[in-house]
Amino acid sequence: MQLKNVIESPCGLRFMLDKLELQSGFARRWLLDSPMMTRAEEIVASYQELHCFTDFLQRVDTLYINTLCHKLCDLKDIRTTIRNLYQGTVLDDIELFEVKHLALLAADVKKLLAQHGMDKAVEIPDLDEVINILDPDGMKIATFYIYDSYNDRLKELRALMRRHPDQQDELLLQAGEIEEEVRTKLSKRLHPFATAIEQAQTALALIDVDVARARQVQDMGLCFPALSQDGTSQYDDMFHPQVQEALASRGRSFQPVSIAYGMEPTLITGANMGGKTVVLKTLTLCQWLFQFGFGIPAAAARIAIKDEIHFCIGDDQSVEKGLSSFAAEMKNIDAVIKASRENKKLLALIDEPARTTNPTEGAALVSALLRVLAGRDMSLVMTTHYDIEPGEARCLRVKGFENGSMDYTLVEVQDGEAPHEALNIAQSLGIDSEWIDQARALLQAAPGKNNHC
Amino acid sequence: MSIVGLEKNTGKTECLKYVLDNLPVERKRIAVTSIGIDGETVDQVTRTQKPEITLREGMYFGTSEMHYRQRRLVSELIDVSDETTSLGRVVTARALTGGKILLSGPSSGSSLKRWMSDMRQHGIDHVIIDGALSRMSSASPAVSQSMILATGAAYSANMTTLVQKTAHVVDLVNLELTSERNVNRLAPLEKGVWFIDTDGALHDLNAMTSLSQEIHFDGVEHCASLYVAGALVGTFLDKVRKHKTLRHAEIVVRDFTKIFVTPQQYRLFVKGGGRVSVLQKSKLIAVTVNPTSPTGYVLDSDLLCNRLSEAIGLPVYDLLKNKECN
């Protein structure tokens, strides 16, 4: 599982990546290709590194960081050239230029980081020998051609060229043969450094990514998560950066939510517009961010590692694929059930399953799903509007509509009964009273437990 | 500075060659590139012989990876861009000896602008752009400050038509700048059709482009200037010309490369009292002519130079004869 496979997840991961101030296109590609981390050691190491970079950002001034970023801008994708180097192909001038450019850049960045003791945070291999090979005159400038100093005869031929432009074509031909000999020798000498050159390229991309992630931690007020060993995850004052930004643009603020879930199913009920879907989105987002080593949008977080993350939300794309929203949803949840039979640490976040069908069958489907998944070794967080028997599930409820405003706080309740606030909320939205009053009257006339209003 | 040909084989490459041969490379840092594929040894369209571009020692150039590998000079690589064209990435280098090169630079106006700003960082004083066929965009004042226009028998073998058609392009290039106040107000508007009334208030005509069939001039009273942010097309010009109050209004466009009207449409519009002006203007330095068409037809060089110079009020050169006629 690579970042690029989940980047379009409706949880808002794309927004976080777009907000990342990466300097080079290569770093972006490298990040998108990076695999999801599932081992505790690598996640811990990744956050230690990020911590190191956030501290570093606080120590250095703007001028220094701009210089570093400016340098990282120059990082190019030379993977094709490196591949040719591994294979022992004779590199052409453009490829030799790319290698020299990268080697000089790596040396520059290394020197710059060493000023603040950061050269050990990400190890950049020493490419001095590569620079020596490609910079015979010791100019330390990132330009390249087959220098005169590589071969005396070449030097003579070029001098002749300048003196006798009329013989240039013949002289170029002779010089061309010598140049090719030089390239062959250079490529042979560079071949042993292929691994170091590749490592340097990766290290520079990683530094770019680390600086960007550290800046994001500062800019968005993200936190470093603790690693949970017991399968439970806990978030204090969690927020969704994209929703927060959208609200801020309308002059409104985001109310952070605290939530914890463990290995028993968690059922979230609550009024419409109570932010249940946003909670699920944020939980999904946080889990991905955690396993790709980003800062977490919460005041504090303790997160368990998962092998697979399933986010099931009715999305419009499935309709374009020719599936009805119900069919698409059933297939997504089916994948969760199948995955839950395998021996994997699973997190499933399911938003209002079976919402598009009739309430009788819908409630039955949701109750059954809860029973099926309750027995499995997995974490499940599910929202619903249906009144269902919670069984072993923990029930959380959005506090809801109080004194004319929405309180998004989640409180633990004993049963899974859905709150009946739809009419009040509709009224507060200014919906036509002829309609709402009729509905109220119908509810009062009807028998049974629906009779709350 | 960009060099633009009105048609293939109007002598654009000859003109570039002439410019490069005569620039003071000892005193100025010169960079040269092309927009799109150019500099091929044989013209891809008409299969006629084309002169290669000869660079002098010290000149910087931008070309594609493929053409860089075919270079016939010694040069030092300075940069390889991330942007890929159909012939590979754009590479920038400095000529260490004189010699021949095929030019094929950045493929779009915006990437050309990026390349030019990179050149500035290398301390380049002048960038010469070899504009591709029917790509006036490189001559846009948004990209280049000045231009040379190449025309000739390939554009029209009838001398009168050639003079008229060329004069029309020159008229458009030389359109006057609108008022400074208008420039400041209109330059930020990137799309749509707008008008400024005589009191100076700006109104949106709620049309995406001047092509829109739905443009209504109802209520457009006391209009001082009409502004077309995108392309100005002939049908729009006709509509304005036939409107009883708008016909004397000024039409403002971004620059001359945004105008797509026939000489007749433009002439009728101007005759009716209309006026077109621009937000940005590039300086037309000279016009060059190639009196020979690829089909072998040859116009009288002296007569062509004289008639064209008279019509446009600018010096006209036949570079192959290498003489000036004012």
Side-chain angles (χ1 to χ4, degrees), chain A residues 127-332:
Chain A
L127 295 180
D128 285 353
E129 188 50 33
V130 172
I131 297 172
N132 287 339
I133 294 170
L134 294 173
D135 189 18
D137 303 332
M139 308 278 280
K140 298 276 186 275
I141 305 171
T143 62
F144 183 76
Y145 71 109
I146 302 297
Y147 294 95
D148 290 358
S149 42
Y150 281 129
N151 186 297
D152 290 339
R153 177 70 189 139
L154 188 63
K155 193 174 175 179
E156 283 170 31
L157 285 170
R158 285 175 179 166
L160 280 172
M161 255 181 239
R162 291 193 181 91
R163 258 177 283 143
H164 306 284
D166 50 317
Q167 296 168 25
Q168 177 148 351
D169 280 355
E170 172 53 29
L171 292 167
L172 272 173
L173 217 61
Q174 292 180 32
E177 282 173 25
I178 300 173
E179 284 181 9
E180 193 56 19
E181 280 170 29
V182 174
R183 280 185 208 107
T184 311
K185 275 185 194 155
L186 292 178
S187 304
K188 218 170 248 167
R189 286 172 69 193
L190 288 171
H191 177 70
F193 297 98
T195 313
I197 292 166
E198 188 177 27
Q199 282 168 351
Q201 179 173 242
T202 310
L204 291 174
L206 184 55
I207 291 165
D208 192 355
V209 169
D210 275 336
V211 170
R213 281 200 282 226
R215 279 179 151 183
Q216 192 171 55
V217 167
Q218 288 182 336
D219 295 347
M220 288 187 178
L222 309 178
C223 77
F224 293 104
L227 183 68
S228 157
Q229 305 285 3
D230 58 2
T232 65
S233 294
Q234 188 184 336
Y235 297 90
D236 296 343
D237 285 344
M238 173 181 85
F239 60 96
H240 194 288
Q242 189 176 9
V243 178
Q244 188 179 49
E245 189 184 281
L247 285 174
S249 72
R250 280 179 273 148
R252 292 167 57 197
S253 61
F254 188 96
Q255 184 192 331
V257 173
S258 298
I259 183 172
Y261 60 84
M263 299 303 283
E264 76 280 10
T266 304
L267 196 63
I268 305 178
T269 56
N272 300 83
M273 296 168 62
K276 299 186 299 295
T277 305
V278 174
V279 168
L280 281 198
K281 273 189 181 183
T282 320
L283 286 175
T284 313
L285 176 69
C286 288
Q287 192 70 38
W288 289 124
L289 292 176
F290 175 63
Q291 299 198 239
F292 285 104
F294 287 67
I296 303 296
R302 205 165 55 80
I303 311 175
I305 302 171
K306 302 291 174 187
D307 295 323
E308 262 181 44
I309 299 143
H310 290 259
F311 181 38
C312 306
I313 182 170
D315 66 314
D316 300 324
Q317 283 177 354
S318 52
V319 179
E320 284 162 22
K321 284 184 205 148
L323 285 174
S324 80
S325 48
F326 181 73
E329 184 182 30
M330 286 296 117
K331 282 187 176 297
N332 282 340

Side-chain angles (χ1 to χ4, degrees), chain B residues 100-134:
Chain B
K100 289 182 174 128
I101 182 79
L102 300 168
L103 276 188
S104 50
S107 54
S108 72
S110 56
S111 52
L112 178 61
K113 269 163 87 173
R114 254 198 314 280
W115 187 80
M116 287 168 66
S117 86
D118 287 349
M119 284 299 98
R120 227 158 276 146
Q121 291 189 353
H122 289 294
I124 298 296
D125 298 305
H126 296 295
V127 174
I128 316 287
I129 305 157
D130 187 11
L133 170 72
S134 69

Side-chain angles (χ1 to χ4, degrees), chain A residues 39-110:
Chain A
R39 287 186 307 115
E41 313 86 76
E42 54 179 351
I43 292 180
V44 169
S46 159
Y47 277 109
Q48 271 168 358
E49 196 174 296
L50 184 56
H51 216 124
C52 197
F53 272 90
T54 1
D55 287 347
F56 163 63
L57 283 192
Q58 279 161 356
R59 288 203 304 274
V60 298
D61 57 20
T62 325
L63 185 69
Y64 173 88
I65 205 74
N66 286 348
T67 314
L68 178 63
C69 288
H70 192 76
K71 289 240 177 278
L72 291 171
C73 262
D74 272 346
L75 177 60
K76 303 270 161 90
D77 184 354
I78 68 159
R79 282 178 291 190
T80 314
T81 302
I82 294 172
R83 195 158 50 237
N84 287 341
L85 198 55
Y86 270 122
Q87 287 168 354
T89 325
V90 174
L91 302 188
D92 67 13
D93 289 9
I94 296 175
E95 290 171 316
L96 291 168
F97 166 81
E98 287 180 323
V99 171
K100 180 177 177 182
H101 185 269
L102 177 75
L104 281 169
L105 180 67
D108 273 0
V109 172
K110 193 171 178 162

Side-chain angles (χ1 to χ4, degrees), chain B residues 155-203:
Chain B
Y155 191 41
S156 171
N158 177 310
M159 194 180 292
T160 309
T161 317
L162 173 59
V163 169
Q164 276 175 2
K165 281 170 83 177
T166 307
H168 171 63
V169 177
V170 171
D171 279 347
L172 298 185
V173 177
N174 283 334
L175 283 174
E176 291 297 319
L177 282 174
T178 185
S179 69
E180 203 180 318
R181 188 157 179 271
N182 278 357
V183 172
N184 294 335
R185 297 184 72 188
L186 300 176
L189 306 173
E190 284 179 352
K191 54 185 172 200
V193 181
W194 307 72
F195 79 93
I196 296 177
D197 64 26
T198 42
D199 294 330
L202 184 66
H203 306 272

Side-chain angles (χ1 to χ4, degrees), chain B residues 9-314:
Chain B
N9 295 295
T10 49
K12 176 169 62 70
T13 312
E14 273 301 318
C15 175
L16 177 65
K17 191 177 162 188
Y18 180 88
V19 170
L20 294 181
D21 284 348
N22 288 281
L23 279 168
V25 271
E26 300 77 18
R27 285 183 283 121
K28 296 277 182 190
R29 282 197 181 188
I30 310 290
V32 54
T33 191
S34 153
I35 184 152
I37 310 164
D38 220 322
E40 62 271 29
T41 44
V42 173
D43 189 304
Q44 298 290 343
V45 178
T46 53
R47 317 298 310 170
T48 51
Q49 199 66 35
K50 277 191 66 177
E52 267 186 308
I53 289 157
T54 306
L55 297 182
R56 290 153 71 196
E57 187 179 334
M59 279 182 171
Y60 289 69
F61 61 96
T63 192
S64 68
E65 270 181 273
M66 193 182 104
H67 286 161
Y68 187 76
R69 293 197 169 96
Q70 298 168 2
R71 70 196 180 279
R72 289 203 282 153
L73 47 73
V74 181
S75 57
E76 180 178 29
L77 270 161
I78 289 174
D79 189 42
V80 180
S81 80
D82 287 333
E83 189 215 0
T84 313
T85 70
S86 55
L87 300 175
R89 292 168 296 177
V90 176
V91 301
T92 308
R94 187 168 67 101
L96 298 175
T97 65
K100 289 182 174 128
I101 182 79
L102 300 168
L103 276 188
S104 50
S107 54
S108 72
S110 56
S111 52
L112 178 61
K113 269 163 87 173
R114 254 198 314 280
W115 187 80
M116 287 168 66
S117 86
D118 287 349
M119 284 299 98
R120 227 158 276 146
Q121 291 189 353
H122 289 294
I124 298 296
D125 298 305
H126 296 295
V127 174
I128 316 287
I129 305 157
D130 187 11
L133 170 72
S134 69
R135 285 256 204 108
M136 279 287 182
S137 63
S138 67
S140 159
V143 177
S144 55
Q145 289 171 346
S146 58
M147 66 185 284
I148 296 178
L149 192 65
T151 186
Y155 191 41
S156 171
N158 177 310
M159 194 180 292
T160 309
T161 317
L162 173 59
V163 169
Q164 276 175 2
K165 281 170 83 177
T166 307
H168 171 63
V169 177
V170 171
D171 279 347
L172 298 185
V173 177
N174 283 334
L175 283 174
E176 291 297 319
L177 282 174
T178 185
S179 69
E180 203 180 318
R181 188 157 179 271
N182 278 357
V183 172
N184 294 335
R185 297 184 72 188
L186 300 176
L189 306 173
E190 284 179 352
K191 54 185 172 200
V193 181
W194 307 72
F195 79 93
I196 296 177
D197 64 26
T198 42
D199 294 330
L202 184 66
H203 306 272
D204 191 349
L205 275 172
N206 295 317
M208 289 296 285
T209 66
S210 74
L211 268 162
S212 169
Q213 299 295 315
E214 306 296 317
I215 295 180
H216 293 295
F217 294 130
D218 315 335
V220 184
E221 304 296 327
H222 316 296
C223 169
S225 310
L226 272 164
Y227 174 57
V228 179
L232 172 64
V233 297
T235 48
F236 182 84
L237 209 60
D238 289 343
K239 232 186 263 182
V240 173
R241 178 169 56 85
K242 287 171 190 157
H243 195 275
K244 58 182 188 302
T245 54
L246 282 178
R247 50 189 298 179
H248 297 297
E250 166 198 30
I251 297 183
V252 184
V253 293
R254 191 160 288 276
D255 62 57
F256 80 95
T257 62
K258 299 282 189 282
I259 304 173
F260 300 89
V261 301
T262 64
Q264 287 81 357
Q265 283 169 322
Y266 181 69
R267 214 170 35 234
L268 280 172
F269 176 73
V270 174
K271 242 183 171 171
R275 187 160 63 89
V276 181
S277 54
V278 292
L279 296 182
Q280 262 185 312
K281 187 174 171 172
S282 51
K283 187 175 177 343
L284 180 63
I285 296 175
V287 174
T288 67
V289 291
N290 175 10
T292 309
S293 86
T295 51
Y297 195 86
V298 185
L299 294 172
D300 181 316
S301 174
D302 291 347
L303 190 62
L304 177 59
C305 284
N306 286 333
R307 281 186 59 181
L308 194 53
S309 184
E310 205 170 287
I312 64 177
L314 269 175

